Amino acid sequence: MPLAPGTRLGPYEIVAPLGAGGMGEVFRAKDTRLGRDVAVKVLPQHLSANSEVRARFEREAKTVSSLNHPNICTLFDVGREGDTDYLVMELIEGETLAQRLAKGALPIADALRIGAQIADALDRAHRAGVIHRDLKPGNVMLTKSGAKLMDFGLARATGLAGDRGVSGATLSTITQSPTMAAPLTAEGSIVGTFQYMSPEQLEGKEADTRSDLWALGCVLYEMATGRRAFEGATQASLIGTIMRDSPRPMAELAPMSPPALDRLVGALLAKDPDDRVQTAHDVKLQLQWTGDGSSAGSLPTAIAGIAARPRASRERLAWVIAAVGVALGIVGIVVVLRLRPAVPGQGVTRFSIAAPENVNLNSDPTMSAISPDGRTLAFVAADSGGTVRIWVRPLESLTPRPLLGTENGVLPFWSPDSRNLAFFSDNGKLKKIPIAGGNPEEICDAADGRGGSWGSDGVIVFAPKASGPLFRVPASGGDAVQATRLDSSRQETGHRWPCFLPDGKHFLFVGMPARRGSFDFFVGSLDSKGTKHLGSASSAPVFASAGYLIFVHNTSIVAQGFDPRRLASSGSPVTLGEAPPPSGYTGAQTVTASNNGVLAHAGGGLPNTELQWLDRAGQPAGAIPVPAGRYQEARLSPDGKRLCIERRNSASEVDLWLVDLDRATSTRFTFGPTTNYWPAWSPDGSRIAFASNRSGPDDIYVKPTNGAAEETPILTGGALFKDPYSWSADGRFIVFEEPNDRTGWDLRMVPVDGDRKPISYLHTAFNERAGVVSPDGRWIAYTSDESGKQDVYVQSFPAPGSKHQVSTGSAGLRVIWSRGGKELVFVAGDGFTLMAVDVTTSPAFHVSAPRKLFKLRQDYVGIEVTPDGQRVLVVAPAGQGAAPTITIEQNWTAGLKKP
């Protein structure tokens, strides 16, 4: 029965009816306490009488009321007056998107703006665990302040399929269109829902956030073209079209629609949810970038080139304060400018670019690159959900955007025309992707890349793995061919970090291993496998078009004059400034250079770290006093009283230090000038095994912890990397990982005494790494990618046999036994979540389901767990210093300091 004006429902006084439908009646009402107009929806009596519906109604209302967002219609209250249940929502003045689309397609700028607002609203809801499940134009209100998404009603725990009768009613059906004066459309009708339902929903499967993204793709298509993405004369034909067909290309219906929007909508409307864009946050960023008028990617192909021409009005600097690194509470400076070629007499312009809000920049210098035209920066970063991607930011724009399809991609490098990026993927492939948007393409295999360069003749030279020569491959894809030859007279183990010279034939690279703390660098040619030695440096060189090689010497960035025609250096090196922290990849470049006088290099990350204790809930539990330094990985002794930790001294020097936790004292354990790392304690704590490259490759040494003797070489020569992870419980073997040309990473053992001949433990077609023997010596925990993702496994030891999978859905490269072997702790695949499982070995081996301990800060450098499992030691940036940034230098040659 309709409520008469003046009726009171709690503090709400009914003013006038707004609409009615099968799931209730909607009224304009006055909140007598706050004096504001609201929309009140009354639950029908036949539903109010059902206690299950009322309980679900209240539970879901509590969830939806937490969605405080400017583009979400706010749920204010729920109540019961007598036998009448009701809810109170924001009263929105305006028209629905469906009413607006009845007049035709929207202008592209409006479609992009509204689409980004809807995506932002979905992102807020999805992060709260709420899935809309009925996104359509009728559920979007257009107001003066922007789009408002209504009817967020199905919490993640609520199923979609099943009985649609009384017991299946949910808040979504109860809250349909609370401010519309038109009759309500019941869920399930063709017009109201089916056009926007994903294939998995139509199959009766449980919907997830990607189902909402399908619906958003349908809405974007309709806004841009004025036509529904999927249509059918009957319900059956419509469902068939959705399940089978793709919509007409947007360009056919809306010729002025930007190609980037067409590609994004296509990715949203992929039939398989795994093939879609995975988060609403990514969709928002793509739409914002496409809507940026300064970007050619937001314009139709026919006019993109015209829009990309520089305008005189952009030749000015505008300093903008941007919020950066929310987890660190830092504010970074961002500069908006139009880059110009170097101008004689004009000074250097320096500025920093930081990650966008809720995004963590990878500060390794190999993870960012300036484009050859000096206009766009590519960088690797992790979003708030922990997903790592390559991002691009035109320097004339404030808005970076992720390149979808580059998940877990690393080491990006540009095509000569600045239109494409190549990168190394986590599935062992070298790939490329257009920065304007599109799907990545595989070029060739590259199991463990160490840099690449794209020449002007369409050839890529790259290092496919950590050891071995460089290879060449057409950028269009094909078989890789060896491009350099290792020099046995130099005991070379690998060539890395190529950089093409302007002729597109010759390229620079460095040889491995380091010698006396420096790397020899050479020039090679596509016409011959022969090389020419040019010099040595602390990092790989890059060529800058002004006629300089730029590299690190000791602790400074220097520029060395270089004639690319004569392939010869000239003059003395000139200091450009202090070098940023070195790369985690040995020998890598520290800067990238454009063809028009622009340099880019990562920096701003804290050079010093500190050691902190956390409890099992992730709460601070004290600090460990050590001298200031750049500490990295840490390993606790078996009794938990001492710590062996890596401390980086320079780009090529790392030493081990011992910390007495009871006495709070620290002493140096190894002495450079080489790299000494990967410490592993003997079971009795009397010795430490570690890797060192003092003779070239990483060899394994053992040294007593009391300093009574020098290091003893245990395993020398062979593979470039031999990283010790643990000792067997009886002290007889050291377990280490080693790369193999055919099988990737293998687990091996070397006897500490006797002939010290290595023994293979796991040698399969998959990558087995990070092997740690259990305290009782009967089991070994390790990681493997045999499932397609890296997970934790346990096998019998010392001979493989009984095998058990511990994690599901990927894990990081750190596994720790605690509680006397009754627990395994590991880092999840996102790199930021600490997980644990209980382990039972008798009468049979069994592990519990993984449980989350706590979320790690994304800037942690190392992690360790005490033997009793009660505390976690982390290596974290010291203090509250600057978040990682990328420094841009325009007209850098004007700043050359003569010696």
Side-chain angles (χ1 to χ4, degrees), residues 72 75 145 205 269 286 314 335 358 418 470 608 809 815 881:
I72 295 178
L75 175 63
S145 61
K205 298 178 181 178
L269 296 181
Q286 289 278 10
R314 292 181 182 169
V335 178
N358 293 325
S418 301
L470 298 176
N608 290 339
V815 188

Side-chain angles (χ1 to χ4, degrees), residues 637-840:
S637 61
D639 61 7
K641 295 182 177 181
R642 289 177 294 171
L643 185 72
C644 187
I645 188 166
E646 302 169 2
R647 178 177 174 178
R648 180 171 289 279
N649 303 317
S650 67
S652 58
E653 183 179 337
V654 177
D655 271 309
L656 299 176
W657 286 66
L658 290 179
V659 180
D660 188 314
L661 298 176
D662 291 336
R663 298 167 52 206
T665 59
S666 57
T667 56
R668 190 168 177 173
F669 185 62
T670 64
F671 298 85
T674 56
T675 298
N676 305 282
Y677 59 122
W678 286 119
W681 290 83
S682 64
D684 61 2
S686 66
R687 293 174 291 175
I688 291 176
F690 61 93
S692 176
N693 65 357
R694 62 191 64 182
S695 64
D698 282 359
D699 295 329
I700 297 178
Y701 294 79
V702 168
K703 183 177 180 179
T705 56
N706 60 9
E710 294 299 316
E711 297 97 337
T712 300
I714 300 297
L715 183 61
T716 60
L720 178 60
F721 296 111
K722 298 178 285 292
D723 300 333
Y725 265 87
S726 69
W727 293 58
S728 60
D730 57 12
R732 295 174 54 203
F733 298 99
I734 295 172
V735 177
F736 66 97
E737 64 179 26
E738 179 183 86
N740 182 280
D741 289 348
R742 293 178 292 104
T743 61
W745 288 91
D746 295 331
L747 290 181
R748 309 191 74 191
M749 305 182 297
V750 58
V752 178
D753 300 309
D755 62 7
R756 294 174 181 164
K757 183 178 180 180
I759 303 168
S760 179
Y761 176 76
L762 283 179
H763 179 74
T764 74
F766 308 105
N767 291 297
E768 291 92 13
R769 307 189 66 179
V772 185
V773 180
S774 63
D776 65 5
R778 298 172 53 202
W779 306 93
I780 183 171
Y782 63 95
T783 67
S784 172
D785 60 1
E786 63 181 85
S787 68
K789 293 183 178 180
Q790 187 169 272
D791 276 301
V792 177
Y793 294 82
V794 171
Q795 277 211 65
S796 56
F797 186 87
S802 177
K803 178 179 174 183
H804 310 271
Q805 184 171 347
V806 173
S807 68
T808 54
S810 77
L813 280 174
R814 186 77 173 98
V815 188
I816 304 165
W817 290 95
S818 69
R819 296 181 172 177
K822 295 181 179 179
E823 181 181 62
L824 274 174
V825 179
F826 60 93
V827 179
D830 63 4
F832 311 121
T833 304
L834 197 63
M835 308 292 292
V837 296
D838 295 324
V839 179
T840 303

Side-chain angles (χ1 to χ4, degrees), residues 440-792:
E441 299 178 22
E442 289 187 2
I443 298 174
C444 65
D445 292 334
D448 190 19
R450 291 299 187 272
S453 185
W454 194 327
S456 56
D457 287 344
V459 174
I460 290 175
V461 172
F462 68 106
K465 54 187 178 180
S467 59
L470 298 176
F471 282 73
R472 54 180 289 180
V473 66
S476 57
D479 295 329
V481 178
Q482 186 174 332
T484 61
R485 183 184 298 110
L486 299 181
D487 188 342
S488 59
S489 68
R490 291 178 173 270
Q491 292 82 48
E492 286 184 338
T493 56
H495 293 160
R496 297 183 177 186
W497 314 114
C499 173
F500 265 109
L501 296 175
D503 64 2
K505 298 291 185 183
H506 293 88
F507 50 88
L508 308 167
F509 65 94
V510 296
M512 301 295 293
R515 303 176 189 278
R516 297 174 299 280
S518 295
F519 303 92
D520 290 325
F521 61 88
F522 307 83
V523 62
S525 172
L526 296 180
D527 298 329
S528 169
K529 294 179 183 177
T531 62
K532 177 182 178 181
H533 182 258
L534 296 178
S536 61
S538 299
S539 73
V542 298
F543 178 78
S545 59
Y548 287 92
L549 300 183
I550 301 176
F551 50 85
V552 173
H553 178 66
N554 293 328
T555 60
S556 299
I557 299 178
V558 299
Q560 169 72 61
F562 184 78
D563 186 337
R565 295 182 298 277
R566 297 190 302 111
L567 303 179
S569 300
S570 61
S572 301
V574 180
T575 299
L576 299 181
E578 182 180 359
S583 170
Y585 290 97
T586 304
Q589 297 104 331
T590 304
V591 302
T592 63
S594 76
N595 293 333
N596 61 344
V598 180
L599 295 183
H601 59 83
L606 280 171
N608 290 339
T609 54
E610 62 185 8
L611 311 182
Q612 303 171 354
W613 287 115
L614 305 177
D615 63 21
R616 285 179 69 89
Q619 297 303 307
I624 299 175
V626 291
R630 289 203 296 270
Y631 296 99
Q632 300 176 160
E633 291 290 341
R635 298 293 183 267
L636 283 164
S637 61
D639 61 7
K641 295 182 177 181
R642 289 177 294 171
L643 185 72
C644 187
I645 188 166
E646 302 169 2
R647 178 177 174 178
R648 180 171 289 279
N649 303 317
S650 67
S652 58
E653 183 179 337
V654 177
D655 271 309
L656 299 176
W657 286 66
L658 290 179
V659 180
D660 188 314
L661 298 176
D662 291 336
R663 298 167 52 206
T665 59
S666 57
T667 56
R668 190 168 177 173
F669 185 62
T670 64
F671 298 85
T674 56
T675 298
N676 305 282
Y677 59 122
W678 286 119
W681 290 83
S682 64
D684 61 2
S686 66
R687 293 174 291 175
I688 291 176
F690 61 93
S692 176
N693 65 357
R694 62 191 64 182
S695 64
D698 282 359
D699 295 329
I700 297 178
Y701 294 79
V702 168
K703 183 177 180 179
T705 56
N706 60 9
E710 294 299 316
E711 297 97 337
T712 300
I714 300 297
L715 183 61
T716 60
L720 178 60
F721 296 111
K722 298 178 285 292
D723 300 333
Y725 265 87
S726 69
W727 293 58
S728 60
D730 57 12
R732 295 174 54 203
F733 298 99
I734 295 172
V735 177
F736 66 97
E737 64 179 26
E738 179 183 86
N740 182 280
D741 289 348
R742 293 178 292 104
T743 61
W745 288 91
D746 295 331
L747 290 181
R748 309 191 74 191
M749 305 182 297
V750 58
V752 178
D753 300 309
D755 62 7
R756 294 174 181 164
K757 183 178 180 180
I759 303 168
S760 179
Y761 176 76
L762 283 179
H763 179 74
T764 74
F766 308 105
N767 291 297
E768 291 92 13
R769 307 189 66 179
V772 185
V773 180
S774 63
D776 65 5
R778 298 172 53 202
W779 306 93
I780 183 171
Y782 63 95
T783 67
S784 172
D785 60 1
E786 63 181 85
S787 68
K789 293 183 178 180
Q790 187 169 272
D791 276 301
V792 177

